[in-house]
Amino acid sequence: MTAPLTRRMHAHDESTSASSDVVSGLCAEVLQGLTRVPKTLPPKLFYDAAGAALFERISELPEYYLTRAELEVVRAHAGDIATLAGEQCALIEYGSGAGIKVGLLLDAFASRNHPVAAYVPIDISREQLAAVASRIAAEYPTLPVHPVCADYTAPLRLPDLPQRARRVAFFPGSTIGNFHPTEAAAFLRRVRRTVANDGVLVLGVDRRKDAATLDAAYDDAAGVTAEFNRNMLRRLNRELHADFDLGRFRHLAYFNDTASRVEMHLVSSEAQVVHVAGERVAFDEGESIWTESSYKYDRETLDALVTSAGFRITRLWTDPGERFWVAYLDAT
Ligand code: AVI
């Protein structure tokens, strides 16, 4: 008989234990970023409920190839991943989002008769996490699901997992690209400690390519990415009592070839003063808030990154258009 969801899903919430600390921590981080030169805001602020919905729309845009390209690779190679990883894996997904790709992996494990010992989705968006966890628990009735609501850019504690289970981390979507290289290495080292010596990381990585393709992917004709970017200010207005006038900030996205990253900014169209949590923040005309970087990797930079974190590339798969990689990394 199927265990009830409440028994199979042990929600582990890293963010409710001290929610006022979380808000004041966020406030301090925002104010620190807005008083820096250049001004910055952390990309994790994108993902309130409206931002998560806008990101879903982005992933369907004709210009935003990343999600489709990665899906092509996962569809083609989920079976290889399940074969390489073997039986009794605990699947830990960083940033579970809508949970489509992990479904392909779980199906591949099931079709090889490789039971999965546990599924641990980790996400900062509580609504999305709850939706994914209950959908996966309903679709895979024998699978123990342990959702963790947390900001995985910081160290976090995972629920206890079966001792014998091989830990397979899954970090899709090229979210690794949203970390600056030193932060990416530090994050991967934490993943490496989590998966331990016989562990695995399946990593989605966007490949370096021509600037025109990248510029279009982050500045779509329908303006959805611009809306996604500006939504961050809407969130600050609501949650930190800010008074940003969204009409006075323009979306800017471009490929910085030297740094191999797409940068997203919100540019102040005029000199203005904004208040955030009671503090005064002055902008010059044309001054920007740097909201996101999306690093694009080639083979050499990817190799250097994963090696520095204690992994090696065992398999590297790409889509037919050679735009995106899914890397199967073993712990060394
Ligand atoms: C989530 N992350 C990998 C996306 C990216 O492509 O960097 C976020 C995004 N930003 C603008 N469009 C999509």
Side-chain angles (χ1 to χ4, degrees):
M1 203 181 88
T2 306
L5 297 187
T6 46
R7 245 198 299 134
R8 284 188 299 115
M9 284 173 44
H10 306 282
H12 183 90
D13 196 326
E14 287 263 317
S15 66
T16 50
S17 48
S19 55
S20 66
D21 288 359
V22 171
V23 173
S24 60
L26 187 68
C27 183
E29 200 177 343
V30 164
L31 289 173
Q32 228 172 50
L34 290 178
T35 46
R36 208 175 268 152
V37 181
K39 290 182 168 62
T40 60
L41 282 171
K44 65 183 172 198
L45 282 181
F46 285 131
Y47 301 97
D48 63 355
L54 282 164
F55 182 68
E56 289 308 306
R57 282 179 61 200
I58 289 175
S59 64
E60 284 161 17
L61 291 169
E63 298 95 331
Y64 194 79
Y65 59 86
L66 285 80
T67 313
R68 281 185 301 279
E70 184 177 49
L71 265 173
E72 285 179 47
V73 187
V74 175
R75 273 206 185 94
H77 296 286
D80 298 323
I81 293 170
T83 302
L84 285 163
E87 292 182 30
Q88 292 301 336
C89 293
L91 198 53
I92 304 164
E93 186 176 22
Y94 291 85
S96 53
I100 310 280
K101 292 156 204 159
V102 80
L104 295 170
L105 290 188
L106 291 170
D107 289 345
F109 278 99
S111 74
R112 271 156 190 75
N113 263 325
H114 287 176
V116 174
Y119 170 53
V120 183
I122 309 170
D123 209 291
I124 196 167
S125 164
R126 189 182 309 276
E127 297 83 0
Q128 267 206 326
L129 180 71
V132 166
S134 31
R135 186 169 62 72
I136 296 289
E139 281 175 23
Y140 303 87
T142 57
L143 176 68
V145 178
H146 306 275
V148 176
C149 184
D151 170 12
Y152 57 75
T153 61
L156 56 91
R157 209 170 50 79
L158 290 184
D160 292 337
L161 296 171
Q163 279 295 326
R164 288 169 299 105
R166 180 181 204 190
R167 290 161 183 224
V168 177
F170 183 40
F171 192 35
S174 194
T175 305
I176 192 67
N178 297 135
F179 293 90
H180 291 291
T182 50
E183 296 166 359
F187 170 75
L188 292 186
R189 276 195 292 274
R190 286 201 297 276
V191 174
R192 170 67 181 78
R193 279 197 294 276
T194 299
V195 300
N197 288 343
D198 68 339
V200 169
L201 168 61
V202 178
L203 182 67
V205 185
D206 195 21
R207 299 178 65 171
R208 191 182 153 91
K209 57 186 63 63
D210 65 284
T213 303
L214 290 168
D215 289 350
Y218 291 82
D219 191 8
D220 61 281
V224 183
T225 311
E227 195 48 32
F228 173 73
N229 200 6
R230 273 193 290 262
N231 179 60
M232 200 185 256
L233 303 184
R234 192 174 288 123
R235 180 173 187 182
L236 295 186
N237 285 350
R238 193 179 59 240
E239 295 184 21
L240 293 186
H241 310 291
D243 57 3
F244 284 98
D245 176 346
L246 272 60
R248 296 205 275 174
F249 286 87
R250 173 174 72 81
H251 168 70
L252 172 69
Y254 60 91
F255 182 55
N256 175 337
D257 188 75
T258 316
S260 197
R261 66 182 177 222
V262 175
E263 292 182 15
M264 287 211 318
H265 296 262
L266 288 164
V267 182
S268 177
S269 54
E270 57 198 85
Q272 55 179 316
V273 171
V274 176
H275 300 91
V276 182
E279 299 290 327
R280 209 175 157 275
V281 183
F283 287 87
D284 291 332
E285 181 183 342
E287 187 178 359
S288 87
I289 311 173
W290 186 0
T291 51
E292 188 184 61
S293 295
S294 201
Y295 284 84
K296 308 302 169 187
Y297 284 87
D298 56 26
R299 179 65 205 245
E300 201 182 322
T301 50
L302 179 63
D303 251 329
L305 173 68
V306 305
T307 306
S308 75
F311 286 106
R312 79 179 136 76
I313 299 177
T314 303
R315 295 280 193 286
L316 192 59
W317 299 292
T318 195
D319 57 304
E322 303 192 337
R323 296 164 297 177
F324 201 96
W325 276 318
V326 174
Y328 185 100
L329 309 174
D330 277 302
T332 51

